[in-house]
């Protein structure tokens, strides 16, 4: 489903190479995890895939179901079925969470040539999904992420993911800033979306999250490359021995 | 001190085109106002409060022409049930106006009271304007007091069932209009006044507002869509104990706008909110100049101004909170912000606080910036196209000012007009 080949990326304004040949394929219905030390390029990979500015692809390709992602605008990638759950969800004062969600859902429907969702249907759907994520009605009325706790922000990301129903979900350190209970709740939200067709790319520092979201494949990323790929046991190895052992082994 | 030659010549040139209405109960006030103009002289570029806005076209003897803008949007407050009072190029239009009868309010045309020997408004006409000349001269307002022939005097004695809507139509491309209103809110009375329309090619408006103890006035003004028009509006308000004055102005387009508000909080526990939202591009120049004086204790004042500028537009904000030594427990707030949609626009802001009391809370802030790229990307990553996302964020930026309006239906109407402006400029 998601095909990344030999992806090289540098910062637009600086001569600094961040990704140095990433190869990765996520099949439909599978959960892949990327782990790696700070500064290895994990978040950059998620930003480049979702179309954030400030990066320059110098080589390689990335496609979703055969469609070249790199030539699309960020909103077109979203409409094509890609979703990024942000590590740091952005606060947008003045825009109500509900307005934001509805605008996003209907923008994607419009781009796909579908009729907008009626206000009543939308409300019903949001309420149902929000309830399962323990998001109360008050949070839907407030401006997007403004004054939300860390847990609320992450739950709000999962709510958007559920409402937009993407093909391919990238979760960028969704566990950061969460306590154990909040992490469980978020993981349950993600697991509820695992339907055998949807692909997931879970970026994390720690094995913890992977106890709750069981990956099929684990990749270790370091210095802009994927240096090792294995099963869930690889995550345990990292948890027990740190990255140093794996890095030394590869070198 | 004698006026500088240049100023004297300009003032004389302007005055030579005008004739002072004679007789009636306002004659003395008009003569006094004329003498104020002659002493102060009309504004010039060297005046402290005209540094950022060129007064030339507002003071020159003959008004520059302005095309009448044709569009298919209905007048903004048409959907609301109001008592309508219509002026065309600054002249009262009886045909288009409603009957001036409404329970709880007494409305007279300025030119009708002119001929009377005695009228309640005599004690206010030119009085509040004259008070507002100190410490900052506002000669265009004095000019208005001296020469404005039309306007309304409104005395609110109760709580009228519907708002009063003053509609300012612009029909002649060379019109040069002056309107002078006096609004007196009696103790415990309350009214909403809606104003809309570009008024004239050049418009000078002066409103004197006196709110007695416990009275409330809500004003919402929309200055039309004509691009070439010029306007200098003045608002002088005096607030009694526990009274409330809330004023919001929407400006879309207009080659030159100067909106001045001068407010004195004379009774304890009074509340004043002055807010404005404007959007403009190209040769749009928009100036909000506000002066709020806290005299009494425990009063609240808020100034909230938001400007969206693009393609070379200029925004100006000069806002002052003066807290006299008697005004303990003052709560003053002032924010002015500009959102620049490109690199060509400019925002000039001069926030001022002058505080002589020691137990007050006053804050002021001013910012200018571009659309937040992070927020833009967040919206795009959810599938919202960049231009829609920009519009959404622009409306969000304006929301703080618009939400100063208490009435949600009016908020929705204003937001809709702002949205249309943005969509037209895609």
């Amino acid at each position: 489903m998601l095909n990344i080949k030999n992806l090289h990326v540098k910062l637009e304004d600086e001569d600094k190479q961040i990704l140095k040949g990433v190869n990765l394929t996520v099949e439909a219905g599978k959960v892949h995890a990327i782990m790696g030390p700070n500064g290895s390029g994990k978040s950059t990979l998620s930003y480049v895939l979702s179309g954030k500015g400030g990066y320059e692809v110098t080589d390689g390709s990335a496609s979703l179901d055969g469609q070249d992602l790199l030539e699309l605008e960020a909103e077109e990638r979203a409409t094509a079925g890609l979703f990024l759950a942000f590590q740091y969800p952005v606060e947008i004062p003045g825009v109500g969470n509900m307005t934001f969600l509805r605008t996003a859902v209907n923008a994607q429907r419009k781009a796909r040539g579908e009729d907008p969702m009626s206000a009543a249907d939308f409300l019903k759907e949001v309420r149902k999904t929000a309830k399962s994520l323990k998001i109360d009605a008050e949070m839907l009325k407030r401006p997007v992420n403004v004054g939300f706790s860390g847990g609320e922000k992450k739950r709000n990301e999962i709510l958007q993911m559920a409402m937009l129903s993407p093909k391919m979900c990238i979760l960028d350190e969704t566990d950061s800033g969460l306590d154990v209970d909040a992490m469980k709740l978020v993981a349950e939200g993600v697991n509820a979306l695992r339907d055998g067709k949807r692909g997931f790319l879970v970026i994390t520092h720690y094995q913890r999250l992977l106890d709750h979201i069981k990956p099929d494949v684990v990749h270790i990323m370091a210095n802009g490359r994927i240096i090792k790929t294995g099963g869930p046991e690889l995550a345990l190895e990292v948890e027990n021995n740190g990255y140093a052992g794996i890095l030394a082994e590869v070198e | 001190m004698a006026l500088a030659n240049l100023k004297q010549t300009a003032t004389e040139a302007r005055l030579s085109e005008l004739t002072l209405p004679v007789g009636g109960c306002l004659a003395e006030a008009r003569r006094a106002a004329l003498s104020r103009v002659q002493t102060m002289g009309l504004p010039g570029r060297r005046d402290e409060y005209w540094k950022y806005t060129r007064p030339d076209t507002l003071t020159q003897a003959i008004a520059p022409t302005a095309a009448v803008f044709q569009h298919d949007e209905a007048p903004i407050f048409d959907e609301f049930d109001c008592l309508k009072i219509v002026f065309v190029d600054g002249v009262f239009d009886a045909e288009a106006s409603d009957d001036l009868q409404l329970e709880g309010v007494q409305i007279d045309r300025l030119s009708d009271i002119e001929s009377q020997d005695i009228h309640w408004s005599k004690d206010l006409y030119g009085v509040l304007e004259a008070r507002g000349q100190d410490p900052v001269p506002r000669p265009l307002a004095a000019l208005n007091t001296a020469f404005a022939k039309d306007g309304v005097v409104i005395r609110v004695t109760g709580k009228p069932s519907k708002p009063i809507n003053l509609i300012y139509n612009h029909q002649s491309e060379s019109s040069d209009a002056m309107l002078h209103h006096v609004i007196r809110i009696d103790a415990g009375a309350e009214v909403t006044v809606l104003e809309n329309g570009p008024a004239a090619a050049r418009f000078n408006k002066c409103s004197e507002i006196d709110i007695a103890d416990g009275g409330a006035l809500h004003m919402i003004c929309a200055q039309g869509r004509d691009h070439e028009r010029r306007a200098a509006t003045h608002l002088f308000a005096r607030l009694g104990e526990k009274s409330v004055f809330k004023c919001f102005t929407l400006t879309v387009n207009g080659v030159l706008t100067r909106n001045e508000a001068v407010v004195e909080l004379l009774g304890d526990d009074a509340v004043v909110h002055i807010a404005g939202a404007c959007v403009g591009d190209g040769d749009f120049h928009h100036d909000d100049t506000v002066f709020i004086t806290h005299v009494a204790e425990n009063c609240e004042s808020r100034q909230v101004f938001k400007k969206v500028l693009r393609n070379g537009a200029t925004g100006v904000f000069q806002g002052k909170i003066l807290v006299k030594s008697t005004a303990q427990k003052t709560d003053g707030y002032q924010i002015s912000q500009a959102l620049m949609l490109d690199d060509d626009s400019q925002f000039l802001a001069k926030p001022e606080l002058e505080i002589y009391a020691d137990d007050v809370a006053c804050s002021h802030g001013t910012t200018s910036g571009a659309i937040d790229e992070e927020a833009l990307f967040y919206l795009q990553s959810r599938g919202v196209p960049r231009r829609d996302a920009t519009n959404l964020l622009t409306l969000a930026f304006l929301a703080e000012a618009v939400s100063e309006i208490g009435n949600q239906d009016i908020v929705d109407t204003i937001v809709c007009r702002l949205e249309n402006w943005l969509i037209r400029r895609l």
Side-chain angles (χ1 to χ4, degrees):
Chain A
M1 174 178 279
L2 179 67
N3 258 301
I4 304 169
K5 280 189 192 140
N6 193 31
L7 192 63
H8 284 71
V9 173
K10 69 180 267 294
L11 288 180
E12 210 169 56
D13 298 334
E14 283 176 56
D15 204 20
K16 190 177 174 193
Q17 197 75 28
I18 308 210
L19 300 184
K20 301 168 181 171
V22 174
N23 288 291
L24 180 68
T25 300
V26 180
E27 308 82 6
K30 299 289 185 198
V31 176
H32 284 232
I34 296 187
M35 301 179 74
N38 290 327
S40 57
K42 304 186 300 294
S43 287
T44 297
L45 177 64
S46 72
Y47 285 146
V48 169
L49 290 174
S50 51
K52 191 177 188 190
Y55 301 101
E56 189 185 329
V57 176
T58 51
D59 200 5
S61 67
S63 65
L64 183 66
D65 277 344
Q67 192 173 9
D68 182 0
L69 285 175
L70 302 179
E71 67 173 19
L72 300 179
E73 296 295 330
E75 62 265 29
E76 294 169 326
R77 299 181 198 200
T79 307
L82 188 74
F83 182 91
L84 169 65
F86 282 54
Q87 180 180 1
Y88 304 110
V90 181
E91 297 185 4
I92 313 183
V95 178
N97 209 13
M98 198 70 122
T99 308
F100 166 69
L101 270 171
R102 197 159 161 228
T103 306
V105 167
N106 283 334
Q108 293 204 15
R109 291 176 74 101
K110 190 177 167 193
R112 288 193 289 260
E114 299 163 15
D115 287 336
M117 210 169 183
S118 78
D121 286 349
F122 177 79
L123 203 63
K124 217 168 101 186
E125 194 64 35
V126 171
R127 282 198 181 136
K128 198 179 76 186
T129 316
K131 202 177 164 196
S132 69
L133 287 162
K134 295 201 167 61
I135 289 173
D136 60 28
E138 198 49 42
M139 227 172 105
L140 293 172
K141 280 188 216 150
R142 273 148 60 186
V144 181
N145 294 325
V146 178
F148 285 27
S149 71
E152 285 175 330
K153 282 183 181 171
K154 296 300 171 83
R155 263 145 53 201
N156 201 29
E157 294 293 290
I158 307 304
L159 172 66
Q160 293 164 41
M161 191 162 96
M163 289 302 297
L164 292 168
S165 195
K167 283 196 260 192
M168 176 72 218
C169 309
I170 304 173
L171 283 76
D172 187 8
E173 299 202 20
T174 294
D175 51 340
S176 70
L178 293 188
D179 61 38
V180 181
D181 296 329
M183 187 160 65
K184 258 188 187 161
L185 201 62
V186 166
E188 278 166 21
V190 173
N191 288 331
L193 296 170
R194 292 177 74 165
D195 60 356
K197 286 179 267 176
R198 195 167 275 144
F200 289 88
L201 186 61
V202 180
I203 296 172
T204 181
H205 274 296
Y206 304 106
Q207 194 265 340
R208 253 186 349 187
L209 179 67
L210 305 179
D211 282 342
H212 302 288
I213 305 173
K214 297 263 186 306
D216 298 297
V217 182
V218 174
H219 308 274
I220 306 295
M221 192 164 182
N223 195 20
R225 271 191 209 97
I226 287 173
I227 55 163
K228 191 167 184 182
T229 297
E233 72 286 351
L234 192 53
L236 284 171
E237 194 187 324
V238 169
E239 183 74 6
N240 295 330
N241 308 329
Y243 291 111
I246 297 170
L247 289 175
E249 179 190 324
V250 172
E251 275 168 19
Chain B
M1 196 180 73
L3 294 174
N5 278 346
L6 211 61
K7 202 167 205 178
Q8 177 124 26
T9 315
T11 304
E12 279 167 8
R14 175 72 177 117
L15 292 175
S16 69
E17 290 294 322
L18 296 160
T19 36
L20 200 67
V22 287
C25 61
L26 305 181
E28 199 187 316
R30 290 185 185 282
R31 276 195 301 272
L34 174 59
S35 136
R36 281 197 290 282
V37 177
Q38 284 162 335
T39 311
M40 292 183 273
L42 289 175
R45 284 208 82 186
R46 294 196 172 174
D47 295 347
E48 174 75 16
Y49 284 86
W50 287 92
K51 260 188 198 161
Y52 307 128
T53 298
R54 288 187 75 106
D56 332 20
T57 53
L58 295 171
T59 58
Q60 71 190 45
I62 306 295
T65 57
V68 177
F69 183 65
Q70 306 291 345
H71 60 85
D72 52 10
E73 263 182 353
I76 185 163
F77 300 123
D78 254 21
E79 61 188 286
F80 301 102
D81 179 27
C82 301
L83 182 133
K84 288 186 168 45
I85 303 175
V86 181
F87 295 88
V88 178
D89 292 315
V91 180
F92 178 70
D93 182 345
E95 193 88 339
S97 301
D98 291 336
D99 184 14
L100 302 185
Q101 299 297 319
L102 183 64
E103 202 178 323
V105 55
Q106 178 195 330
I107 305 171
D108 291 297
R109 193 180 163 190
L110 185 70
S111 60
D112 287 340
I113 63 159
E114 189 98 42
S115 55
Q116 300 173 16
D117 288 334
I118 194 157
H119 192 270
W120 63 266
S121 62
K122 180 175 179 286
D123 297 335
L124 292 173
Y125 190 92
V127 173
L128 300 189
E129 173 260 297
R131 286 178 71 97
Q133 298 292 351
D134 181 46
V136 181
R138 304 169 198 281
L140 287 171
L143 185 79
N144 181 302
T145 301
F147 295 101
K149 294 189 180 68
D150 226 328
V152 280
V153 294
I154 300 174
R155 179 164 197 160
V156 185
T157 52
K159 295 187 175 173
S161 58
K162 54 185 177 184
I164 297 166
N165 186 191
L166 304 175
I167 299 168
Y168 307 125
N169 291 334
H170 174 204
Q171 280 181 7
S172 155
E173 64 172 37
S174 59
S175 54
D176 188 10
M178 280 193 210
L179 288 176
H180 196 112
H181 307 313
V182 177
I183 301 175
R184 154 82 187 178
I185 313 284
D186 282 351
E190 179 168 6
V191 76
T192 298
V193 174
L194 307 174
E195 299 176 276
N196 65 286
R202 182 168 74 178
F203 185 38
N204 179 334
K205 185 179 74 170
C206 181
S207 306
E208 295 182 280
I209 293 163
D210 186 32
I211 308 180
D213 297 352
L217 173 62
H218 306 272
M219 278 183 111
I220 296 111
C221 178
Q223 299 184 291
R225 277 177 55 186
D226 288 30
H227 188 64
E228 294 174 12
R229 65 109 186 106
R230 288 156 208 277
T233 76
H234 313 86
L235 199 148
F236 297 92
R238 180 166 76 179
L239 274 72
E241 200 177 299
K242 293 194 173 74
S243 66
V244 175
F245 176 40
K246 293 188 180 178
C247 173
F248 172 87
T249 303
L250 169 73
T251 312
V252 293
N253 304 342
V255 74
L256 179 58
T257 308
R258 163 93 161 196
N259 291 329
E260 292 195 27
V262 182
V263 182
E264 274 185 292
L265 295 149
L266 295 179
D268 293 348
D269 306 300
V271 173
V272 59
H273 294 184
I274 308 284
C278 80
V279 289
D281 60 6
D283 50 4
F284 174 89
H285 182 106
H286 189 279
D287 175 337
D288 282 300
T289 295
V290 181
F291 199 115
I292 292 180
T293 307
H294 285 260
V295 179
E297 279 187 23
N298 204 32
C299 292
E300 172 190 315
S301 72
R302 280 173 70 84
Q303 302 173 44
V304 182
F305 289 91
K306 300 269 187 160
K307 298 174 197 277
V308 173
L309 308 166
R310 46 176 273 168
N311 196 21
T314 302
V316 176
F317 173 76
Q318 308 182 99
K320 176 150 185 172
I321 308 175
L322 169 61
V323 181
K324 296 261 175 100
S325 59
T326 47
Q328 298 294 358
K329 310 280 180 199
T330 286
D331 180 4
Y333 174 75
Q334 182 196 85
I335 183 90
S336 62
Q337 297 182 300
L339 175 63
M340 327 286 230
L341 294 178
D342 54 37
D343 295 339
D344 302 330
S345 307
Q346 58 173 337
F347 177 51
L348 304 155
K350 193 168 81 171
E352 292 179 280
L353 295 183
E354 192 176 335
I355 302 173
Y356 296 99
D358 52 14
D359 184 14
V360 303
C362 274
S363 64
H364 65 109
T366 185
T367 65
S368 53
I371 286 265
D372 178 0
E373 281 293 330
E374 291 288 325
L376 204 53
F377 172 62
Y378 193 57
L379 282 159
Q380 282 181 275
S381 77
R382 299 304 181 245
V384 182
R386 192 176 173 90
R387 61 183 197 191
D388 295 354
T390 304
N391 286 355
L392 195 63
L393 292 174
T394 304
L395 288 173
F397 166 79
L398 292 165
E400 188 189 357
V402 180
S403 66
E404 289 291 316
I405 303 171
N407 180 316
Q408 190 57 43
D409 291 336
I410 295 177
V411 168
D412 294 345
T413 302
I414 300 275
V415 169
C416 176
R417 294 295 161 124
L418 288 165
E419 211 168 357
N420 289 345
W421 186 89
L422 290 167
I423 291 167
R424 285 195 299 270
R425 271 154 187 81
L426 285 178

